[in-house]
Amino acid sequence: MSVFARLVEHLADLLTPLFHASAAAAAIVLFTALVRLLVHPLSRAAARGRRARAALQPKIDALRARHARDPERLQRAVLELHAQEKVSPLSGCLPGLLQLPAFFLLYHLFSSTTIGGGSNSLLDHRLFAAPLGGRWADALSDGGMFGPAGLVYLGLFALVAAVATVNYRRTRRTMAAQPVPVTGGGQVPGLAAVTRVTPFLSFFTLVSVAVVPLAAALYIVTSTAWSAAEQSLLYR
């Protein structure tokens, strides 16, 4: 924690001539961009894996038709097909999983009042009028939704909603191109409902931004915007 706090402080010092009082917020955005840049090779690999899985879809559909009455045999056959074609069904999860430690570290850093036995000076930093260690509830109690801190959150919510809308539309197009798997008795139970709900998960980011410290919210917003831009390039 103390090492990471010093890193953020050093980045903030470097950015102070450009961003002044919001230098620590800019440092968090820069740190997030660096994390995303480090995992970008895995994102590219995930994109290749997704295209490879799409190419396997006709073979998977044939396996479903062949083993419609034997789900266990179908599962084994699909796994064997992925192994034979050297396609990992979990490759798309790695970029997100590798970002979790950085997010939780940032979350705890701006949720702790002390670091290494001393006071956490990072909590004194702000994004405009909103403290980086504060939450939306704090902004509402200090000036209301349209107060100085509340307006910062409204700006973040607007940005997140715009990015979520882009992701929602992309997910709808992607899932529309992939028919819901069927068995001998019809659609796979529950999968149709999941298919309808999945596009709306993009908007869950709004809830996350509202409940985590502002510093962690900046990480979420930056990472989500990066993902939207990255997917536009990798999946076009």
Side-chain angles (χ1 to χ4, degrees):
M1 290 284 287
S2 58
V3 172
F4 184 60
R6 286 196 295 271
L7 172 62
V8 175
E9 289 281 11
H10 288 320
L11 286 176
D13 291 340
L14 292 174
L15 296 173
T16 295
L18 292 175
F19 297 97
H20 306 292
S22 297
I28 292 169
V29 173
L30 177 59
F31 168 76
T32 308
L34 291 174
V35 171
R36 293 307 309 260
L37 193 60
L38 287 174
V39 301
H40 178 69
L42 291 176
S43 298
R44 294 180 66 86
R48 290 194 297 270
R50 182 174 177 177
R51 288 191 289 268
R53 289 192 298 273
L56 288 181
Q57 194 60 46
K59 294 181 180 180
I60 293 176
D61 291 340
L63 289 175
R64 287 197 180 102
R66 186 184 309 166
H67 304 297
R69 298 177 181 274
D70 191 346
E72 293 185 1
R73 179 67 183 276
L74 172 61
Q75 183 178 12
R76 289 197 301 271
V78 170
L79 291 176
E80 290 171 0
L81 177 62
H82 280 99
Q84 178 182 351
E85 300 292 337
K86 297 181 179 180
V87 175
S88 172
L90 301 178
S91 60
C93 302
L94 287 178
L97 290 176
L98 290 180
Q99 291 179 67
L100 287 178
F103 169 77
F104 283 118
L105 185 59
L106 195 62
Y107 177 89
H108 287 295
L109 179 61
F110 283 88
S111 298
S112 304
T113 56
T114 60
I115 298 177
S119 61
N120 186 356
S121 60
L122 288 173
L123 298 182
D124 298 329
H125 291 277
R126 294 172 173 265
L127 173 60
F128 303 115
L132 293 180
R135 291 170 167 81
W136 188 41
D138 301 323
L140 292 179
S141 62
D142 183 20
M145 184 178 297
F146 298 102
L151 290 175
V152 173
Y153 278 92
L154 288 181
L156 289 179
F157 290 148
L159 178 58
V160 170
V163 174
T165 300
V166 172
N167 290 335
Y168 166 81
R169 292 175 176 174
R170 181 184 297 111
T171 305
R172 286 288 300 270
R173 290 195 300 269
T174 301
M175 300 192 75
Q178 299 175 354
V180 177
V182 297
T183 63
Q187 293 182 343
V188 175
L191 191 53
V194 172
T195 301
R196 289 193 296 269
V197 170
T198 297
F200 292 96
L201 295 179
S202 301
F203 294 96
F204 183 73
T205 309
L206 288 165
V207 179
S208 301
V209 169
V211 299
V212 300
L214 179 57
L218 285 175
Y219 185 99
I220 294 173
V221 172
T222 305
S223 183
T224 303
W226 181 291
S227 293
E230 188 176 61
Q231 290 180 21
S232 296
L233 292 174
L234 294 178
Y235 295 107
R236 61 182 178 180

